[in-house]
Amino acid sequence: MTGDGDRGRPDPGSGLEQEQSRLLRKALHHAGIRHGDLWLRYFSIGGTVGEYEVDAYIQSLMSLPPDQRDLIAHAANELIDEFPPLPRAPYLEDLIQ
Amino acid sequence: MPQQLPLDELTLALARINGLLLTEEKVDRAVQLLAEGIRDAFPGSSGAGVSLLDEHGNRTSTGATDPVVLEADEAQYELGQGPCLTAWATERTVLMHDVATDDRWPLWSQAVRDLSIRSVISAPLMAGTRCLGALKIYSTQPGAYDAATARPLEKLVVPAATLLANIQSSEAPKRFTQVLTSALLSRDTINRAQGFLMHRHGLDQGAALQRLLELSKTSRQSLFSVSTDILTETKSGPDDG
């Protein structure tokens, strides 16, 4: 942990934080991204919070500063964007070409 | 925001790497003990050896009970032929009743003629479907081994290979170092891009990061690639943006 006194204390935006971590959790679950992989990407893009704390945040057990929460969300979205897109159905024209 | 590295994780990462390197020593020790155990378990044997090979057939670890075994082993890998290499490649036990008359590996037979080796049995170290290497027992007498030797040897080899597979991880530290290196490179690049934006636009660190995040979001490119672009443009000549 860091010596940041604001962490862990509920703030007026804690409802939003709960919502942010809940939807993150949902997105990770849907994409099948492991928490360890998310942390590694988050760390790679400059995240400063440890793996244990990030894991606790994902489970809505711990509060993190907004900038770190957004960085975690960004890391998740980068990983999600790297998945191959779902195959699309071809039009007849696509098959003739 | 203070730039604090998650030191716990880095410490853990380094500990993991060190742990894995230690494991390699453990593999050597395990292989050595296995060779000694096998020699003792098969009476009439003059020596035994165990070689672990990677997927290209290069030796990663060797254990042998005596210098004769090492020398005979060395000759196999130099010549690229011999009973153990065949056991490894075919994943089957190889019996050599008499080195003097067996003509399957002529170069190797020639090379070991002056070593006191007359018969050989070599079994592949199978861990599941993976072949980790081969072990061999040598005797100074011809015809020391037969199918009756092969069976208990094969029984012994399977659990030994399974255990070795669990401690053998010479590839793992390398892979882990690559992961750590690329994570640090990415961090460093993004930090430098942030620094550039701070300087160029008079932003504080948080605002610079926000700017990068925006760029990444709108361009659908990763933060790392957006940062790389910014730094490359800086090199090729700044504009007035």
Side-chain angles (χ1 to χ4, degrees), chain A residues 43-44 47 51 67 74 78, chain B residues 1 9 186-187 216 220 223:
Chain A
F43 173 71
S44 300
E51 189 173 356
D67 59 342
H74 195 79
E78 282 196 7
Chain B
M1 184 188 66
E9 269 67 28
S186 164
R187 264 185 92 95
S216 170
R220 281 253 166 178
L223 213 49

Side-chain angles (χ1 to χ4, degrees), chain A:
Chain A
M1 265 307 286
T2 67
D4 191 335
D6 287 340
R7 263 178 217 168
R9 197 201 303 161
D11 64 85
S14 73
L16 287 177
E17 177 167 5
Q18 290 282 326
E19 186 69 351
Q20 200 178 4
S21 72
R22 185 182 69 81
L23 292 173
L24 166 71
R25 192 161 64 234
K26 203 172 151 187
L28 292 177
H29 181 74
H30 188 77
I33 295 170
R34 291 181 307 175
H35 295 186
D37 292 338
L38 174 69
W39 178 80
L40 184 63
R41 175 59 63 100
Y42 159 78
F43 173 71
S44 300
I45 63 174
T48 56
V49 176
E51 189 173 356
Y52 182 79
E53 287 83 354
V54 168
D55 194 54
Y57 162 72
I58 296 168
Q59 300 181 47
S60 301
L61 297 173
M62 199 178 135
S63 183
L64 291 182
D67 59 342
Q68 294 304 308
R69 274 147 48 194
D70 274 355
L71 213 49
I72 292 169
H74 195 79
N77 288 333
E78 282 196 7
L79 290 173
I80 290 166
D81 285 344
E82 283 169 14
F83 283 109
L86 288 171
R88 289 175 56 83
Y91 297 96
L92 179 59
E93 201 182 71
D94 300 331
L95 295 175
I96 291 168
Q97 275 169 2

